[in-house]
Amino acid sequence: MAIKPKYVKQLGNILLERYPQAFNTDFETNKDSVSELTTVESKSVRNRIAGYITRKKGGQAA
């Protein structure tokens, strides 16, 4: 099953809306927060969501 960008964006926006204090511009921190706040089991999906949140918070891609 492919990872849909719409799913990543929707979940990322929901997390930012509900837990704005849990995220910042650091990808590693956001990755840990996504793991704690969701039941996403896939590492690649978790990383995509964390990356999307990092970009939304103003972080620069490496």
Side-chain angles (χ1 to χ4, degrees), residues 3 7-8 11 34 40 42-50:
I3 303 165
Y7 172 75
V8 171
L11 192 51
V34 170
V40 173
S42 169
K43 223 163 68 165
S44 62
V45 174
R46 180 201 64 202
N47 288 348
R48 284 181 182 226
I49 294 167

Side-chain angles (χ1 to χ4, degrees), residues 24-61:
N24 57 32
T25 58
D26 179 48
F27 173 75
E28 295 297 327
T29 305
N30 292 344
K31 192 167 67 170
D32 293 337
S33 295
V34 170
S35 291
E36 292 173 12
L37 298 171
T38 65
T39 58
V40 173
E41 294 179 11
S42 169
K43 223 163 68 165
S44 62
V45 174
R46 180 201 64 202
N47 288 348
R48 284 181 182 226
I49 294 167
Y52 175 74
I53 290 172
T54 303
R55 294 284 303 267
K56 288 281 281 191
K57 284 294 221 173
Q60 295 296 319

